[in-house]
Amino acid sequence: MTATVRLTMAQALVRWLCAQHTEIDGERVPLFAGVFGIFGHGNVTCLSEALEQVQDRLPTWRGQNEQSMALAAVGFAKAKRRRQIMVATSSVGPGATNMITAAGVAHANRLPVLLLSGDTFINRLPDPVLQQVEHYGCPSTSVNDGFRAVSRFWDRIVHPAQILSSLPQAVTTMLDPADCGPAFIGLPQDIQEIAYDYPEAFFAEKVWTIPRPRPARSEVAAAVELLKGAKRPLIISGGGVRYSGAGEALADFAVRRGIPMTETIAGKGAVVHDHPAYTGAMGIEGTDASKELAETADVVIAVGTRMQDFTTGSWTTFAPDARFLNINAARFDASKHFALPVVGDALECITELDEALGDWACDPARMARAQELYADWNRALDEGQKPTNAAVPSYAQVIGVVNRKASPDDTMVTAAGGLPGETAKNWRVKAPHTYDLEFGFSCMGYEIAGGWGHAMAKNGKGVPIVMVGDGSYLMMNSDIYSTVLTGHKMIVVVCDNGGFGVINRLQTGMGVPGFNNLLKDARVQNRDAPLHVDFAAHARAMGAEARFCESLADLETAMDWAQTTDRTTVLVIETDAHVWTDGGADWYVGVPEINERESVRKARDGQEALRRRQRQGV
């Protein structure tokens, strides 16, 4: 007879989570490092009962918002480079739907997060229950079905035995380099409580490893043939390079083969800013050096990237006859734009391609030109970061100060708005894997929550330096309190530019008058001007240390002070919404085909010219 143990489904789920392990740098660690939880009627009576019993092995951390705690789990996964996973649990209803946005972030960025949400009763006897959304023609549908579009693995447990297959499949998905992303499991309230005789073998300690699939020999051979014929090759290093641990190998490959190396937004940080083959970020938020190299490249080696439009300049950055060699664990990504695919782990593929290339190297003139262009770019950065007599500093000047004061172990964390382009251009990475820009989903509100996840993952080795605009701060800031509550310190730099500055720039750049983006352009009643928010006072009210900085000199002094405090510290400085760092590729956006404004018609002409340059899938 098979030995069994009788547990509720919720108890069995938690016990199984505790039994899963992985290895990081030779050390065995829990695969699930902890749980972010907000409890409601859908998960408090059963799942929380089970979690309470294992606090010493699987700590539960209290979030303030379901979206932000799941975003913290995303930040943790990034910091751990997909090798360790956090769980986020919510009740049914709005608690669950709050996490859908975070699931979209994890899905777009190919990051592992386990989402456990309460669900309505399978037996339907008490229906309709609190927070239930009823579908007359499909009574089995709940709000949790909304996760289907933003999950790589989705399941609803309708019998306690189903976790025997569902949980291992969820982990297999989250650890698969080609299929990585969030896993969602719905937990109906009446199923959580049911006891079942589970096989004891189900709870045996297990150590998971992340597979490293090797490429097909034929694909490597074809890649060698293509590359040996290249005269002006270019490497684009994506997030998959970082998650594979292939950064050092790819950078060495670039130097020895004489191929300039750019990075995507997700890939930024695989190498340091002054690496000899590096030419800066690629695409719309990238450098002029990388743009020129892309426009002249005859072969583009794209490693571990899904080639988002901000990388490709909406496919306007490359020559019409350029060939693509896509190295990716996912065949879906490797085959984009009729590229020559090499499917496999980035490190394995680079190693085998390197071995097969023999003594081939690019003409040294290619790398010399790249280094010349990059030197020009760095001189432009230096000029843009210099203090001026302007009443309000630019993003570039603020970033320059924060960057100089950051230690090599500190990690810069930011997301949507003006800071993505400004940090991608201006932030000079001092040590690998110390830069996190969430731009796959461009999620406003990720910054502070993601910083909390990084602080957990760093565990005191450096601090996350979160750079956030006033718009994103107002959207989601409660994890400042979370970090004070839990003792996970960050430094938060709030750049107050009076609203949604970068989207205002896009709006006005396409010929539309400023409208509803900057606070000065928003509708207000019963007052002459928008109310100004005292962000420093607000942060102090949540228990953080905080200062308002009146100048760049104040910011320098405040950054020194912030490194010495014992808790999350918030620094606030006004920044200019109308000054930004030029450079990078163009972007395809919708502009009205018919409009009475000359400014809009002019923008439309520019878009039509851009579209004539687009590579259309070839």
Side-chain angles (χ1 to χ4, degrees):
M1 294 289 291
T2 301
T4 61
V5 56
R6 191 164 182 81
L7 300 167
T8 69
M9 184 271 280
Q11 292 164 352
L13 184 155
V14 169
R15 182 169 173 177
W16 185 87
L17 293 177
C18 292
Q20 311 311 303
H21 296 83
T22 187
E23 286 192 357
I24 298 179
D25 300 328
E27 179 185 359
R28 176 171 157 165
V29 298
L31 178 62
F32 296 99
V35 178
F36 291 108
I38 294 178
F39 296 127
H41 68 277
N43 63 349
V44 71
T45 57
C46 293
L47 185 61
S48 80
E49 182 271 340
L51 289 169
E52 188 275 335
Q53 298 181 52
V54 298
Q55 297 176 66
D56 58 330
R57 289 173 287 162
L58 185 65
T60 296
W61 303 96
R62 184 188 182 282
Q64 316 310 317
N65 177 286
E66 291 88 357
Q67 178 181 327
S68 67
M69 72 181 189
L71 289 174
V74 172
F76 182 92
K78 281 192 176 188
K80 290 294 187 179
R81 284 181 275 161
R82 304 198 304 197
R83 296 175 294 176
Q84 211 172 6
I85 302 169
M86 290 293 287
V87 183
T89 179
S90 77
S91 185
V92 66
T97 55
N98 280 350
M99 295 200 299
I100 289 178
T101 296
V105 173
H107 193 286
N109 288 279
R110 317 286 172 85
L111 292 164
V113 177
L114 178 59
L115 303 171
L116 302 174
S117 175
D119 212 328
T120 54
F121 290 85
I122 293 300
N123 64 34
R124 301 182 193 167
L125 293 176
D127 284 7
V129 299
L130 181 67
Q131 298 180 335
Q132 180 174 356
V133 175
E134 295 180 274
H135 289 260
Y136 310 145
C138 187
S140 63
T141 297
S142 79
V143 296
N144 287 342
D145 288 271
F147 283 93
R148 292 179 185 269
V150 287
S151 298
R152 302 296 272 184
F153 178 91
W154 187 97
D155 198 5
R156 174 182 287 122
I157 304 302
V158 299
H159 188 283
Q162 289 180 339
I163 64 170
L164 293 168
S165 60
S166 185
L167 290 173
Q169 288 295 332
V171 171
T172 298
T173 300
M174 289 187 288
L175 295 183
D176 186 338
D179 205 30
C180 184
F184 173 85
I185 300 178
L187 306 175
Q189 298 171 65
D190 51 342
I191 304 302
Q192 290 182 48
E193 71 182 10
I194 295 177
Y196 183 78
D197 294 320
Y198 289 95
E200 287 188 355
F202 181 58
F203 306 108
E205 300 280 315
K206 179 177 176 61
V207 178
W208 294 81
T209 59
I210 298 175
R212 288 189 177 276
R214 296 176 59 183
R217 294 188 186 93
S218 58
E219 292 181 346
V220 173
V224 168
E225 182 179 357
L226 176 62
L227 195 51
K228 283 187 173 181
K231 303 298 182 185
R232 300 175 305 280
L234 177 68
I235 293 170
I236 302 176
S237 175
V241 172
R242 293 179 60 190
Y243 300 138
S244 170
E248 185 177 346
L250 182 59
D252 178 66
F253 175 88
V255 170
R256 288 187 293 102
R257 302 297 180 178
I259 306 174
M261 175 179 171
T262 72
E263 289 178 325
T264 69
I265 287 172
K268 184 175 171 70
V271 298
V272 295
H273 182 82
D274 57 359
H275 185 275
Y278 183 56
T279 63
M282 176 72 203
I284 294 167
E285 308 288 38
T287 70
D288 285 341
S290 293
K291 180 175 182 287
E292 179 170 323
L293 293 166
E295 290 172 342
T296 59
D298 57 353
V299 174
V300 178
I301 309 164
V303 189
T305 171
R306 64 192 185 111
M307 301 297 277
Q308 184 208 34
D309 66 341
F310 264 65
T311 297
T312 67
S314 302
W315 290 102
T316 65
T317 300
F318 309 102
D321 58 350
R323 296 288 307 278
F324 281 80
L325 169 59
N326 287 1
I327 298 173
N328 207 291
R331 184 166 294 279
F332 178 85
D333 293 318
S335 302
K336 287 177 178 175
H337 271 248
F338 301 135
L340 178 66
V342 178
V343 180
D345 172 76
L347 181 58
E348 294 291 338
C349 290
I350 290 298
T351 300
E352 295 199 22
L353 178 61
D354 194 28
E355 292 173 352
L357 276 170
D359 59 0
W360 176 87
C362 186
D363 185 338
R366 176 68 168 168
M367 185 65 81
R369 176 57 179 161
Q371 291 172 341
E372 177 184 324
L373 290 169
Y374 192 49
D376 289 343
W377 174 260
N378 278 293
R379 281 190 287 271
L381 286 190
D382 291 339
E383 189 63 30
Q385 291 178 356
K386 284 181 180 178
T388 63
N389 292 324
V392 179
S394 67
Y395 272 128
Q397 291 170 321
V398 171
I399 292 166
V401 170
V402 176
N403 198 177
R404 288 193 297 275
K405 292 296 183 178
S407 79
D409 289 331
D410 294 340
T411 296
M412 204 291 301
V413 182
T414 193
L419 283 163
E422 295 298 321
T423 60
K425 292 178 172 73
N426 284 282
W427 190 270
R428 307 182 197 214
V429 173
K430 301 177 182 179
H433 312 299
T434 57
Y435 179 91
D436 172 14
L437 165 53
E438 193 299 290
F439 215 52
F441 208 54
S442 185
C443 182
M444 295 181 72
Y446 170 81
E447 300 92 336
I448 292 170
W452 185 21
H454 274 273
M456 283 188 171
K458 293 180 81 67
N459 197 27
K461 185 179 181 182
V463 296
I465 297 178
V466 175
M467 298 200 70
V468 59
D470 55 303
S472 282
Y473 182 99
L474 288 172
M475 278 193 175
M476 196 162 295
N477 54 63
S478 58
D479 284 320
I480 289 175
Y481 176 72
S482 298
T483 63
V484 175
L485 179 69
T486 61
H488 297 104
K489 179 184 172 178
M490 348 181 254
I491 297 172
V492 180
V493 180
V494 182
C495 296
D496 184 357
N497 66 8
F500 302 142
V502 74
I503 208 67
N504 177 76
R505 186 176 91 203
L506 176 60
Q507 183 182 54
T508 57
M510 292 298 111
V512 182
F515 172 64
N516 202 47
N517 286 316
L518 295 181
L519 293 175
K520 70 180 183 63
D521 298 325
R523 182 184 295 275
V524 297
Q525 291 183 344
N526 303 322
R527 60 175 61 247
D528 296 329
L531 181 69
H532 181 263
V533 176
D534 187 337
F535 294 102
H538 183 267
R540 281 193 292 269
M542 290 189 286
E545 299 279 7
R547 282 186 186 176
F548 176 76
C549 304
E550 295 188 1
S551 65
L552 293 173
D554 275 357
L555 181 61
E556 290 203 31
T557 302
M559 278 296 297
D560 289 334
W561 166 70
Q563 293 281 13
T564 69
T565 60
D566 64 354
R567 69 190 69 183
T568 290
T569 301
V570 178
L571 309 178
V572 184
I573 186 167
E574 291 185 14
T575 51
D576 195 323
H578 305 287
V579 177
W580 56 85
T581 305
D582 288 326
D586 295 322
W587 193 23
Y588 186 150
V589 296
V591 178
E593 188 173 3
I594 301 171
N595 197 276
E596 294 180 356
R597 287 192 178 96
E598 175 62 26
S599 58
V600 175
R601 293 200 298 270
K602 182 179 179 181
R604 174 71 188 191
D605 290 343
Q607 277 292 302
E608 289 179 350
L610 177 145
R611 295 169 194 184
R612 287 192 290 271
R613 305 200 314 269
Q614 276 187 306
R615 291 170 53 94
Q616 298 189 8
V618 296

